[in-house]
Amino acid sequence: MSDNGSPKPDQAQQSEHLNIKVTDNNNEVFFKIKRTTALKKLMDAFCERQGKSPQSVRFLFDGQRVNASDNPEILEMQDGDTLEVHQEQIGGGC
């Protein structure tokens, strides 16, 4: 009967923060990030912890390349989702 400032039902199931797993098949690092935070922060933090250059790797979510300016909200990420890290391939064949 009274509105006590409780969140709307659709907001209640989506908290402001997500737990995202970042893996390069050797290491798994978990990050807690706001839905609106640019993923560049997470990408840079992962590279720093793993001693990798951000230019030497690419990040994928559901098989699609992630841009530094993307955020979880744009990519429709859910709590517990995984970002994959792959070595950037430089050069080509013969």
Side-chain angles (χ1 to χ4, degrees), residues 3-34:
D3 184 12
N4 60 2
S6 62
K8 295 177 185 156
D10 61 321
Q11 290 176 331
Q13 37 185 268
Q14 288 196 344
S15 68
E16 189 179 350
H17 291 86
L18 294 173
N19 292 301
I20 304 295
K21 179 171 81 171
V22 182
T23 180
D24 64 1
N25 292 329
N26 298 319
N27 306 293
E28 289 184 351
V29 182
F30 292 85
F31 292 92
K32 188 170 188 173
I33 186 171
K34 284 186 177 181

Side-chain angles (χ1 to χ4, degrees), residues 22 24 28 30 44 56 58 71 77 85 87 92:
V22 182
D24 64 1
E28 289 184 351
F30 292 85
D44 288 346
S56 70
R58 57 193 158 97
N71 67 39
M77 296 178 87
V85 183
Q87 196 69 30

Side-chain angles (χ1 to χ4, degrees), residues 39-68:
L39 289 172
K40 178 180 184 352
K41 287 178 115 177
L42 179 149
M43 295 156 86
D44 288 346
F46 179 84
C47 290
E48 191 174 313
R49 287 187 193 183
Q50 302 302 321
K52 298 177 189 262
S53 162
Q55 290 77 32
S56 70
V57 295
R58 57 193 158 97
F59 290 78
L60 300 179
F61 174 64
D62 282 348
Q64 299 297 312
R65 188 166 189 155
V66 175
N67 296 311

